[in-house]
């Protein structure tokens, strides 16, 4: 008869108990609760170092999510990257205001040297947005439809504006009725100063534009141009502060901004970026003169004629 050999008592193999109480983890997102980390117990989940590390990481992420709700009290908003994408995905898609040049909700900067025609182009864009179509360039789409526009003209007087947008025989070229023009009123500001108003001219102007947007619900604003608002835009920190104020206006009221700016006097055929004003912008454009055109014609084009 065969007898089974038994191992000595001291050398008996030790049986490792199965650990099944460790939880498994998943990050769930859903409408109204985009940042929730759920921890669920799975008795079938085998124990491993990876599971323990996942548990520790999930607890850390859950702590960060909870803390982010308490920390979002200032100007910086901390949320998971996926949350931002989910929120953006459910928002309406931005439509073209003026082709691919300018979209709804964007801050677009149009910069160039003087006498290149950026103001004429800006009025043409504003008029097309107000009319809901671009009659002069058929392939430019205005998907957003007709919208009233505030055009803050910080350079021209009403007589200069009339002269620019008149035919050779002196007849006005009337623009769309939805294009609202702002002209500076220095007299009223001087009266406010005598009454003890401490705001600077620039601050008062931005306050007035904000009140116009707030009370008329106009969502499209053109500022021509931001260089006027500070004596040295390219060399001063003030330009960035003005841009931040305009960006705040955009975010609070859902405004689309087109901002014009001058560049320093340099070679007119080379583009230069306005470093002080461009960082907060969504898009930056620069119209330039064609050197080939000037070399061929022997002179710069006549920019006094609109469109």
């Amino acid at each position: 008869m065969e007898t089974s050999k038994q191992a000595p008592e001291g050398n008996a193999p030790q049986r490792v108990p199965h650990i099944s109480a460790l939880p498994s983890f998943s990050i769930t997102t859903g409408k109204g609760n985009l940042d929730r980390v759920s921890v669920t117990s799975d008795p079938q989940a085998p124990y491993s170092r990876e599971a323990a590390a996942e548990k520790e990481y999930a607890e850390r992420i859950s702590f960060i999510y909870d803390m982010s709700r308490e920390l979002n009290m200032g100007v910086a908003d901390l949320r998971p990257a996926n949350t931002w994408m989910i929120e953006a995905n459910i928002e309406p898609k931005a439509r073209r205001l003026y082709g691919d040049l300018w979209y709804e909700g964007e801050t677009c900067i149009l910069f160039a040297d003087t006498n290149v025609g950026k103001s004429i182009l800006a009025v043409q864009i504003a008029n097309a947005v107000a009319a809901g179509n671009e009659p002069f360039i058929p392939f430019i789409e205005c998907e957003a439809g007709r919208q009233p526009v505030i055009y803050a003209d910080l350079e021209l007087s009403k007589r200069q504006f009339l002269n620019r947008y008149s035919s050779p025989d002196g007849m006005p070229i009337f623009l769309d009725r939805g294009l609202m023009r702002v002209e500076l009123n220095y007299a009223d500001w001087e009266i406010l100063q005598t009454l003890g108003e401490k705001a600077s001219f620039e601050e008062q102007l931005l306050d007035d534009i904000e009140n116009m947007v707030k009370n008329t619900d106009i969502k499209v604003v053109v500022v021509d141009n931001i260089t006027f608002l500070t004596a040295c835009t390219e060399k001063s920190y003030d330009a960035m502060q003005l841009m931040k104020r305009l960006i705040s206006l955009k975010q609070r009221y859902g405004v689309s901004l087109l901002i014009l700016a001058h560049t320093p006097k340099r070679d007119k055929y080379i583009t230069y970026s306005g470093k002080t004003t461009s960082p907060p912008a969504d898009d930056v454009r620069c119209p330039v003169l064609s050197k080939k055109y000037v070399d061929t014609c022997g002179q710069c084009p006549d920019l006094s004629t609109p469109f």
Side-chain angles (χ1 to χ4, degrees), residues 117-146:
K118 58 183 178 295
S119 292
I120 293 176
L121 175 59
V123 171
Q124 180 174 340
I125 292 172
N127 188 65
V129 172
N133 65 84
E134 172 54 270
F136 303 100
I137 312 176
F139 60 84
I140 293 290
E141 295 182 69
C142 301
E143 295 177 335
R146 304 191 70 177

PDB file of all heavy atoms in Angstrom, residues 117-146:
ATOM      1  N   GLY A 117      -5.555 101.551 -44.613  1.00  0.00           N
ATOM      2  CA  GLY A 117      -6.958 101.314 -44.918  1.00  0.00           C
ATOM      3  C   GLY A 117      -7.682 100.429 -43.921  1.00  0.00           C
ATOM      4  O   GLY A 117      -8.749  99.902 -44.217  1.00  0.00           O
ATOM      5  N   LYS A 118      -7.123 100.257 -42.704  1.00  0.00           N
ATOM      6  CA  LYS A 118      -7.773  99.363 -41.739  1.00  0.00           C
ATOM      7  C   LYS A 118      -9.089  99.929 -41.232  1.00  0.00           C
ATOM      8  O   LYS A 118     -10.021  99.170 -40.959  1.00  0.00           O
ATOM      9  CB  LYS A 118      -6.837  99.048 -40.577  1.00  0.00           C
ATOM     10  CG  LYS A 118      -6.326 100.229 -39.785  1.00  0.00           C
ATOM     11  CD  LYS A 118      -5.350  99.764 -38.715  1.00  0.00           C
ATOM     12  CE  LYS A 118      -4.789 100.946 -37.945  1.00  0.00           C
ATOM     13  NZ  LYS A 118      -3.970 101.844 -38.792  1.00  0.00           N
ATOM     14  N   SER A 119      -9.215 101.257 -41.122  1.00  0.00           N
ATOM     15  CA  SER A 119     -10.483 101.837 -40.671  1.00  0.00           C
ATOM     16  C   SER A 119     -11.576 101.650 -41.727  1.00  0.00           C
ATOM     17  O   SER A 119     -12.721 101.334 -41.396  1.00  0.00           O
ATOM     18  CB  SER A 119     -10.314 103.335 -40.359  1.00  0.00           C
ATOM     19  OG  SER A 119      -9.486 103.522 -39.231  1.00  0.00           O
ATOM     20  N   ILE A 120     -11.218 101.820 -42.986  1.00  0.00           N
ATOM     21  CA  ILE A 120     -12.184 101.604 -44.065  1.00  0.00           C
ATOM     22  C   ILE A 120     -12.619 100.144 -44.086  1.00  0.00           C
ATOM     23  O   ILE A 120     -13.804  99.825 -44.251  1.00  0.00           O
ATOM     24  CB  ILE A 120     -11.573 102.026 -45.421  1.00  0.00           C
ATOM     25  CG1 ILE A 120     -11.361 103.544 -45.446  1.00  0.00           C
ATOM     26  CG2 ILE A 120     -12.446 101.589 -46.577  1.00  0.00           C
ATOM     27  CD1 ILE A 120     -10.670 104.059 -46.685  1.00  0.00           C
ATOM     28  N   LEU A 121     -11.652  99.232 -43.905  1.00  0.00           N
ATOM     29  CA  LEU A 121     -11.983  97.809 -43.847  1.00  0.00           C
ATOM     30  C   LEU A 121     -12.872  97.511 -42.649  1.00  0.00           C
ATOM     31  O   LEU A 121     -13.843  96.740 -42.755  1.00  0.00           O
ATOM     32  CB  LEU A 121     -10.700  96.976 -43.779  1.00  0.00           C
ATOM     33  CG  LEU A 121     -10.884  95.465 -43.588  1.00  0.00           C
ATOM     34  CD1 LEU A 121     -11.700  94.862 -44.723  1.00  0.00           C
ATOM     35  CD2 LEU A 121      -9.527  94.769 -43.468  1.00  0.00           C
ATOM     36  N   ALA A 122     -12.588  98.131 -41.499  1.00  0.00           N
ATOM     37  CA  ALA A 122     -13.384  97.881 -40.297  1.00  0.00           C
ATOM     38  C   ALA A 122     -14.827  98.355 -40.472  1.00  0.00           C
ATOM     39  O   ALA A 122     -15.774  97.674 -40.051  1.00  0.00           O
ATOM     40  CB  ALA A 122     -12.753  98.577 -39.093  1.00  0.00           C
ATOM     41  N   VAL A 123     -15.026  99.512 -41.102  1.00  0.00           N
ATOM     42  CA  VAL A 123     -16.384  99.992 -41.366  1.00  0.00           C
ATOM     43  C   VAL A 123     -17.090  99.066 -42.345  1.00  0.00           C
ATOM     44  O   VAL A 123     -18.286  98.772 -42.204  1.00  0.00           O
ATOM     45  CB  VAL A 123     -16.356 101.443 -41.895  1.00  0.00           C
ATOM     46  CG1 VAL A 123     -17.726 101.865 -42.389  1.00  0.00           C
ATOM     47  CG2 VAL A 123     -15.875 102.399 -40.807  1.00  0.00           C
ATOM     48  N   GLN A 124     -16.365  98.585 -43.343  1.00  0.00           N
ATOM     49  CA  GLN A 124     -16.958  97.643 -44.297  1.00  0.00           C
ATOM     50  C   GLN A 124     -17.396  96.362 -43.590  1.00  0.00           C
ATOM     51  O   GLN A 124     -18.478  95.828 -43.848  1.00  0.00           O
ATOM     52  CB  GLN A 124     -15.961  97.314 -45.406  1.00  0.00           C
ATOM     53  CG  GLN A 124     -16.498  96.338 -46.444  1.00  0.00           C
ATOM     54  CD  GLN A 124     -15.543  96.143 -47.614  1.00  0.00           C
ATOM     55  OE1 GLN A 124     -14.681  96.978 -47.857  1.00  0.00           O
ATOM     56  NE2 GLN A 124     -15.697  95.038 -48.321  1.00  0.00           N
ATOM     57  N   ILE A 125     -16.559  95.859 -42.667  1.00  0.00           N
ATOM     58  CA  ILE A 125     -16.910  94.659 -41.907  1.00  0.00           C
ATOM     59  C   ILE A 125     -18.128  94.928 -41.033  1.00  0.00           C
ATOM     60  O   ILE A 125     -19.073  94.123 -40.993  1.00  0.00           O
ATOM     61  CB  ILE A 125     -15.709  94.209 -41.045  1.00  0.00           C
ATOM     62  CG1 ILE A 125     -14.575  93.700 -41.937  1.00  0.00           C
ATOM     63  CG2 ILE A 125     -16.129  93.130 -40.049  1.00  0.00           C
ATOM     64  CD1 ILE A 125     -13.285  93.410 -41.188  1.00  0.00           C
ATOM     65  N   ALA A 126     -18.116  96.056 -40.308  1.00  0.00           N
ATOM     66  CA  ALA A 126     -19.236  96.385 -39.422  1.00  0.00           C
ATOM     67  C   ALA A 126     -20.530  96.547 -40.210  1.00  0.00           C
ATOM     68  O   ALA A 126     -21.602  96.099 -39.776  1.00  0.00           O
ATOM     69  CB  ALA A 126     -18.918  97.671 -38.646  1.00  0.00           C
ATOM     70  N   ASN A 127     -20.451  97.166 -41.371  1.00  0.00           N
ATOM     71  CA  ASN A 127     -21.640  97.351 -42.195  1.00  0.00           C
ATOM     72  C   ASN A 127     -22.168  96.015 -42.713  1.00  0.00           C
ATOM     73  O   ASN A 127     -23.384  95.790 -42.775  1.00  0.00           O
ATOM     74  CB  ASN A 127     -21.311  98.280 -43.367  1.00  0.00           C
ATOM     75  CG  ASN A 127     -22.536  98.677 -44.164  1.00  0.00           C
ATOM     76  OD1 ASN A 127     -23.437  99.355 -43.663  1.00  0.00           O
ATOM     77  ND2 ASN A 127     -22.599  98.244 -45.418  1.00  0.00           N
ATOM     78  N   ALA A 128     -21.251  95.103 -43.076  1.00  0.00           N
ATOM     79  CA  ALA A 128     -21.666  93.776 -43.547  1.00  0.00           C
ATOM     80  C   ALA A 128     -22.339  92.983 -42.442  1.00  0.00           C
ATOM     81  O   ALA A 128     -23.332  92.286 -42.675  1.00  0.00           O
ATOM     82  CB  ALA A 128     -20.452  93.015 -44.085  1.00  0.00           C
ATOM     83  N   VAL A 129     -21.816  93.077 -41.213  1.00  0.00           N
ATOM     84  CA  VAL A 129     -22.432  92.374 -40.076  1.00  0.00           C
ATOM     85  C   VAL A 129     -23.829  92.932 -39.813  1.00  0.00           C
ATOM     86  O   VAL A 129     -24.776  92.183 -39.563  1.00  0.00           O
ATOM     87  CB  VAL A 129     -21.543  92.495 -38.820  1.00  0.00           C
ATOM     88  CG1 VAL A 129     -22.257  91.933 -37.594  1.00  0.00           C
ATOM     89  CG2 VAL A 129     -20.220  91.771 -39.032  1.00  0.00           C
ATOM     90  N   ALA A 130     -23.955  94.264 -39.864  1.00  0.00           N
ATOM     91  CA  ALA A 130     -25.258  94.883 -39.636  1.00  0.00           C
ATOM     92  C   ALA A 130     -26.256  94.517 -40.733  1.00  0.00           C
ATOM     93  O   ALA A 130     -27.451  94.335 -40.475  1.00  0.00           O
ATOM     94  CB  ALA A 130     -25.109  96.399 -39.539  1.00  0.00           C
ATOM     95  N   ALA A 131     -25.766  94.390 -41.960  1.00  0.00           N
ATOM     96  CA  ALA A 131     -26.642  94.055 -43.086  1.00  0.00           C
ATOM     97  C   ALA A 131     -26.896  92.559 -43.204  1.00  0.00           C
ATOM     98  O   ALA A 131     -27.861  92.138 -43.850  1.00  0.00           O
ATOM     99  CB  ALA A 131     -26.040  94.578 -44.392  1.00  0.00           C
ATOM    100  N   GLY A 132     -26.024  91.754 -42.611  1.00  0.00           N
ATOM    101  CA  GLY A 132     -26.178  90.305 -42.693  1.00  0.00           C
ATOM    102  C   GLY A 132     -25.597  89.695 -43.945  1.00  0.00           C
ATOM    103  O   GLY A 132     -25.762  88.508 -44.200  1.00  0.00           O
ATOM    104  N   ASN A 133     -24.873  90.489 -44.738  1.00  0.00           N
ATOM    105  CA  ASN A 133     -24.232  89.959 -45.949  1.00  0.00           C
ATOM    106  C   ASN A 133     -23.142  90.921 -46.399  1.00  0.00           C
ATOM    107  O   ASN A 133     -23.140  92.089 -46.008  1.00  0.00           O
ATOM    108  CB  ASN A 133     -25.251  89.765 -47.079  1.00  0.00           C
ATOM    109  CG  ASN A 133     -25.842  91.085 -47.544  1.00  0.00           C
ATOM    110  OD1 ASN A 133     -25.261  91.788 -48.364  1.00  0.00           O
ATOM    111  ND2 ASN A 133     -26.998  91.446 -47.002  1.00  0.00           N
ATOM    112  N   GLU A 134     -22.233  90.414 -47.203  1.00  0.00           N
ATOM    113  CA  GLU A 134     -21.137  91.215 -47.760  1.00  0.00           C
ATOM    114  C   GLU A 134     -21.368  91.363 -49.259  1.00  0.00           C
ATOM    115  O   GLU A 134     -21.089  90.451 -50.039  1.00  0.00           O
ATOM    116  CB  GLU A 134     -19.800  90.532 -47.465  1.00  0.00           C
ATOM    117  CG  GLU A 134     -18.597  91.154 -48.138  1.00  0.00           C
ATOM    118  CD  GLU A 134     -18.451  92.638 -47.858  1.00  0.00           C
ATOM    119  OE1 GLU A 134     -19.018  93.439 -48.643  1.00  0.00           O
ATOM    120  OE2 GLU A 134     -17.789  92.998 -46.876  1.00  0.00           O
ATOM    121  N   PRO A 135     -21.907  92.516 -49.687  1.00  0.00           N
ATOM    122  CA  PRO A 135     -22.247  92.671 -51.108  1.00  0.00           C
ATOM    123  C   PRO A 135     -21.038  92.820 -52.014  1.00  0.00           C
ATOM    124  O   PRO A 135     -21.135  92.584 -53.218  1.00  0.00           O
ATOM    125  CB  PRO A 135     -23.093  93.951 -51.123  1.00  0.00           C
ATOM    126  CG  PRO A 135     -22.635  94.715 -49.923  1.00  0.00           C
ATOM    127  CD  PRO A 135     -22.264  93.693 -48.894  1.00  0.00           C
ATOM    128  N   PHE A 136     -19.883  93.208 -51.475  1.00  0.00           N
ATOM    129  CA  PHE A 136     -18.719  93.492 -52.312  1.00  0.00           C
ATOM    130  C   PHE A 136     -17.808  92.283 -52.490  1.00  0.00           C
ATOM    131  O   PHE A 136     -17.040  92.215 -53.438  1.00  0.00           O
ATOM    132  CB  PHE A 136     -17.922  94.657 -51.714  1.00  0.00           C
ATOM    133  CG  PHE A 136     -18.743  95.906 -51.548  1.00  0.00           C
ATOM    134  CD1 PHE A 136     -19.269  96.261 -50.316  1.00  0.00           C
ATOM    135  CD2 PHE A 136     -19.012  96.720 -52.641  1.00  0.00           C
ATOM    136  CE1 PHE A 136     -20.035  97.402 -50.166  1.00  0.00           C
ATOM    137  CE2 PHE A 136     -19.777  97.863 -52.498  1.00  0.00           C
ATOM    138  CZ  PHE A 136     -20.296  98.213 -51.263  1.00  0.00           C
ATOM    139  N   ILE A 137     -17.862  91.333 -51.547  1.00  0.00           N
ATOM    140  CA  ILE A 137     -17.030  90.126 -51.643  1.00  0.00           C
ATOM    141  C   ILE A 137     -17.956  88.931 -51.468  1.00  0.00           C
ATOM    142  O   ILE A 137     -18.248  88.520 -50.348  1.00  0.00           O
ATOM    143  CB  ILE A 137     -15.915  90.113 -50.577  1.00  0.00           C
ATOM    144  CG1 ILE A 137     -15.177  91.461 -50.549  1.00  0.00           C
ATOM    145  CG2 ILE A 137     -14.928  88.978 -50.837  1.00  0.00           C
ATOM    146  CD1 ILE A 137     -14.130  91.561 -49.471  1.00  0.00           C
ATOM    147  N   PRO A 138     -18.456  88.350 -52.553  1.00  0.00           N
ATOM    148  CA  PRO A 138     -19.503  87.324 -52.477  1.00  0.00           C
ATOM    149  C   PRO A 138     -19.139  86.096 -51.662  1.00  0.00           C
ATOM    150  O   PRO A 138     -20.009  85.475 -51.049  1.00  0.00           O
ATOM    151  CB  PRO A 138     -19.747  86.963 -53.952  1.00  0.00           C
ATOM    152  CG  PRO A 138     -19.242  88.129 -54.725  1.00  0.00           C
ATOM    153  CD  PRO A 138     -18.112  88.690 -53.938  1.00  0.00           C
ATOM    154  N   PHE A 139     -17.830  85.715 -51.634  1.00  0.00           N
ATOM    155  CA  PHE A 139     -17.479  84.477 -50.941  1.00  0.00           C
ATOM    156  C   PHE A 139     -17.361  84.659 -49.422  1.00  0.00           C
ATOM    157  O   PHE A 139     -17.147  83.701 -48.690  1.00  0.00           O
ATOM    158  CB  PHE A 139     -16.170  83.894 -51.496  1.00  0.00           C
ATOM    159  CG  PHE A 139     -14.975  84.803 -51.365  1.00  0.00           C
ATOM    160  CD1 PHE A 139     -14.244  84.844 -50.179  1.00  0.00           C
ATOM    161  CD2 PHE A 139     -14.579  85.603 -52.411  1.00  0.00           C
ATOM    162  CE1 PHE A 139     -13.147  85.669 -50.058  1.00  0.00           C
ATOM    163  CE2 PHE A 139     -13.481  86.438 -52.299  1.00  0.00           C
ATOM    164  CZ  PHE A 139     -12.766  86.473 -51.118  1.00  0.00           C
ATOM    165  N   ILE A 140     -17.496  85.896 -48.919  1.00  0.00           N
ATOM    166  CA  ILE A 140     -17.472  86.131 -47.475  1.00  0.00           C
ATOM    167  C   ILE A 140     -18.837  85.792 -46.893  1.00  0.00           C
ATOM    168  O   ILE A 140     -19.855  86.351 -47.295  1.00  0.00           O
ATOM    169  CB  ILE A 140     -17.117  87.595 -47.153  1.00  0.00           C
ATOM    170  CG1 ILE A 140     -15.674  87.909 -47.554  1.00  0.00           C
ATOM    171  CG2 ILE A 140     -17.327  87.883 -45.681  1.00  0.00           C
ATOM    172  CD1 ILE A 140     -14.622  87.250 -46.692  1.00  0.00           C
ATOM    173  N   GLU A 141     -18.866  84.871 -45.928  1.00  0.00           N
ATOM    174  CA  GLU A 141     -20.116  84.447 -45.304  1.00  0.00           C
ATOM    175  C   GLU A 141     -20.359  85.217 -44.008  1.00  0.00           C
ATOM    176  O   GLU A 141     -19.444  85.419 -43.222  1.00  0.00           O
ATOM    177  CB  GLU A 141     -20.087  82.950 -44.992  1.00  0.00           C
ATOM    178  CG  GLU A 141     -20.017  82.055 -46.213  1.00  0.00           C
ATOM    179  CD  GLU A 141     -20.054  80.585 -45.810  1.00  0.00           C
ATOM    180  OE1 GLU A 141     -21.121  80.137 -45.338  1.00  0.00           O
ATOM    181  OE2 GLU A 141     -19.028  79.908 -45.955  1.00  0.00           O
ATOM    182  N   CYS A 142     -21.607  85.628 -43.812  1.00  0.00           N
ATOM    183  CA  CYS A 142     -22.037  86.250 -42.558  1.00  0.00           C
ATOM    184  C   CYS A 142     -23.116  85.347 -41.956  1.00  0.00           C
ATOM    185  O   CYS A 142     -24.318  85.636 -42.047  1.00  0.00           O
ATOM    186  CB  CYS A 142     -22.558  87.656 -42.797  1.00  0.00           C
ATOM    187  SG  CYS A 142     -21.345  88.789 -43.550  1.00  0.00           S
ATOM    188  N   GLU A 143     -22.673  84.233 -41.348  1.00  0.00           N
ATOM    189  CA  GLU A 143     -23.599  83.208 -40.876  1.00  0.00           C
ATOM    190  C   GLU A 143     -24.482  83.682 -39.732  1.00  0.00           C
ATOM    191  O   GLU A 143     -25.575  83.155 -39.515  1.00  0.00           O
ATOM    192  CB  GLU A 143     -22.817  81.977 -40.405  1.00  0.00           C
ATOM    193  CG  GLU A 143     -22.057  81.254 -41.487  1.00  0.00           C
ATOM    194  CD  GLU A 143     -21.252  80.102 -40.939  1.00  0.00           C
ATOM    195  OE1 GLU A 143     -20.891  80.138 -39.745  1.00  0.00           O
ATOM    196  OE2 GLU A 143     -20.998  79.154 -41.702  1.00  0.00           O
ATOM    197  N   ALA A 144     -24.022  84.669 -38.965  1.00  0.00           N
ATOM    198  CA  ALA A 144     -24.753  85.095 -37.767  1.00  0.00           C
ATOM    199  C   ALA A 144     -26.001  85.900 -38.105  1.00  0.00           C
ATOM    200  O   ALA A 144     -26.802  86.200 -37.222  1.00  0.00           O
ATOM    201  CB  ALA A 144     -23.843  85.908 -36.852  1.00  0.00           C
ATOM    202  N   GLY A 145     -26.173  86.278 -39.378  1.00  0.00           N
ATOM    203  CA  GLY A 145     -27.344  87.060 -39.749  1.00  0.00           C
ATOM    204  C   GLY A 145     -27.196  88.526 -39.375  1.00  0.00           C
ATOM    205  O   GLY A 145     -26.141  88.972 -38.899  1.00  0.00           O
ATOM    206  N   ARG A 146     -28.236  89.291 -39.567  1.00  0.00           N
ATOM    207  CA  ARG A 146     -28.195  90.730 -39.284  1.00  0.00           C
ATOM    208  C   ARG A 146     -28.083  90.982 -37.792  1.00  0.00           C
ATOM    209  O   ARG A 146     -28.841  90.435 -36.990  1.00  0.00           O
ATOM    210  CB  ARG A 146     -29.441  91.424 -39.814  1.00  0.00           C
ATOM    211  CG  ARG A 146     -29.674  91.209 -41.292  1.00  0.00           C
ATOM    212  CD  ARG A 146     -30.761  92.114 -41.816  1.00  0.00           C
ATOM    213  NE  ARG A 146     -30.337  93.510 -41.840  1.00  0.00           N
ATOM    214  CZ  ARG A 146     -31.086  94.508 -42.316  1.00  0.00           C
ATOM    215  NH1 ARG A 146     -32.292  94.255 -42.775  1.00  0.00           N
ATOM    216  NH2 ARG A 146     -30.639  95.736 -42.324  1.00  0.00           N
TER     217      ARG A 146
END
